[in-house]
Amino acid sequence: MLDLGCAPGSWTQYAVKVIGPKGLCIGIDLQRVTLAISNARFVQGDAFDEPTIVKFAAESNIELFDVVMSDMAPKTSGIRVQDQTRSFDLCVRALDVARARLRPGGNFVVKFFQSGEFDNYLKMLKPLFAKVEIFRPKSTRKSSYEIYIVGLKKL
Ligand SMILES: C[S@@+](CC[C@H](N)C(=O)[O-])C[C@H]1O[C@@H](n2cnc3c(N)ncnc32)[C@H](O)[C@@H]1O
């Protein structure tokens, strides 16, 4: 599986338990992750840098991933429109990665900061998956714009 925006590594720590010792999670983040986990590999890099993803997938003998997840978030500036735009760009990038590197039948999850682009994003995502679900964890603060979009069974 591929974990975009993995630092400091909480999602990865949970994911490796789910995938088990035979699975492998590759995490990419601008920040360095120092955790030592036997079935995870961390890459310090930019998710927009396609050669980085290709190189590390190839080194782990992965052609296509079973799961692509993205918790990528920009450093917030406090300027809401700017932060929403940056967040949207990261979500679009995550979807591009899933389009190219997720195997047919594979699953995708992305954290999305709700904005006027929400419907546009769903329009991009829906044709790629058999089923799309939107999820807001109970633990999310009421004031938060955070929402999770899950694409199941890539077509
Ligand atoms: C909310 S944190 C992720 C938390 C992580 N999922 C965890 O469970 O520990 C968001 C991360 O997205 C990363 N990020 C932002 N833009 C990125 C990019 N272009 N490429 C890779 N990572 C990026 C940030 O560096 C930050 O560590």
Side-chain angles (χ1 to χ4, degrees), residues 15-28:
V16 292
K17 287 184 192 154
V18 176
I19 63 179
K22 288 186 182 159
L24 177 69
C25 180
I26 296 188
I28 297 185

Side-chain angles (χ1 to χ4, degrees), residues 14-68:
Y14 179 77
V16 292
K17 287 184 192 154
V18 176
I19 63 179
K22 288 186 182 159
L24 177 69
C25 180
I26 296 188
I28 297 185
D29 202 290
L30 299 172
Q31 313 289 325
R32 192 161 161 253
V33 178
T34 51
L35 295 174
I37 302 176
S38 59
N39 53 344
R41 188 154 179 219
F42 295 107
V43 181
Q44 186 174 13
D46 190 334
F48 284 89
D49 183 18
E50 189 69 22
T52 298
I53 297 176
V54 173
K55 176 173 174 262
F56 283 94
E59 281 179 10
S60 302
N61 292 320
I62 296 169
E63 199 181 327
L64 296 171
F65 292 94
D66 296 321
V67 173
V68 173

Side-chain angles (χ1 to χ4, degrees), residues 23-124:
L24 177 69
C25 180
I26 296 188
I28 297 185
D29 202 290
L30 299 172
Q31 313 289 325
R32 192 161 161 253
V33 178
T34 51
L35 295 174
I37 302 176
S38 59
N39 53 344
R41 188 154 179 219
F42 295 107
V43 181
Q44 186 174 13
D46 190 334
F48 284 89
D49 183 18
E50 189 69 22
T52 298
I53 297 176
V54 173
K55 176 173 174 262
F56 283 94
E59 281 179 10
S60 302
N61 292 320
I62 296 169
E63 199 181 327
L64 296 171
F65 292 94
D66 296 321
V67 173
V68 173
M69 58 185 188
S70 171
D71 193 23
M72 287 193 288
K75 270 193 184 151
T76 46
S77 67
I79 304 166
R80 198 165 132 200
V81 176
Q82 188 173 307
D83 293 340
Q84 282 176 339
T85 305
R86 285 188 183 156
S87 172
F88 181 69
D89 291 345
L90 291 171
C91 291
V92 172
R93 175 60 187 150
L95 189 57
D96 284 344
V97 172
R99 197 178 275 116
R101 313 249 150 249
L102 183 62
R103 70 162 170 83
N107 299 320
F108 173 68
V109 59
V110 62
K111 179 171 72 185
F112 191 94
F113 284 96
Q114 278 178 290
S115 67
E117 296 290 356
F118 184 65
D119 289 345
N120 281 341
Y121 193 73
L122 286 183
K123 268 187 205 155
M124 286 186 241

